[in-house]
Amino acid sequence: MRVSIQPDKVRNIALHYPDLNTGWLMTGEGEMLKGEDKPESPRTVTIEAEAWQVIKQQAESLASKDRQMEALLDILKKGNVQETGNAVCADAK
């Protein structure tokens, strides 16, 4: 059941709640609050050149360590495949 709202009631509500989208109130379509459908403006961050160089070096270092970890994991996987069923601890005697 749909009930319409009187125009004077809409005005009164709009006066008390200026951010309320009266079109939404009347139809139920769109955003409840004004301005919600506007895309956010892009944010810009300024970083000193020296700090940026440190960030880049750290990123390169992490990427290098990731490659080393992948290589070591590959070696371990190959070793486990060759020793299938005969897993032995290197320190066990």
Side-chain angles (χ1 to χ4, degrees):
M1 174 195 238
R2 202 163 194 173
V3 178
S4 64
I5 187 168
Q6 298 299 318
D8 61 321
K9 299 286 185 195
V10 172
R11 269 192 301 278
N12 195 18
I13 292 170
L15 287 172
H16 285 89
Y17 302 97
D19 290 337
L20 184 67
N21 179 351
T22 54
W24 171 84
L25 185 62
M26 298 293 290
T27 66
E29 294 178 9
E31 299 298 325
M32 183 177 83
L33 300 177
K34 294 178 184 177
E36 280 190 351
D37 54 349
K38 295 179 185 174
E40 286 188 29
S41 59
R43 296 186 179 123
T44 303
V45 176
T46 303
I47 299 175
E48 297 287 331
E50 192 174 306
W52 182 246
Q53 287 302 322
V54 170
I55 292 169
K56 284 175 47 176
Q57 288 170 351
Q58 291 296 317
E60 290 167 5
S61 176
L62 288 171
S64 173
K65 289 181 187 328
D66 285 346
R67 287 189 297 274
Q68 289 173 346
M69 292 290 289
E70 287 298 322
L72 290 171
L73 286 171
D74 286 343
I75 291 169
L76 287 172
K77 287 176 187 175
K78 288 177 186 172
N80 285 338
V81 169
Q82 294 171 356
E83 297 290 329
T84 304
N86 297 323
V88 178
C89 180
D91 291 335
K93 293 183 183 182

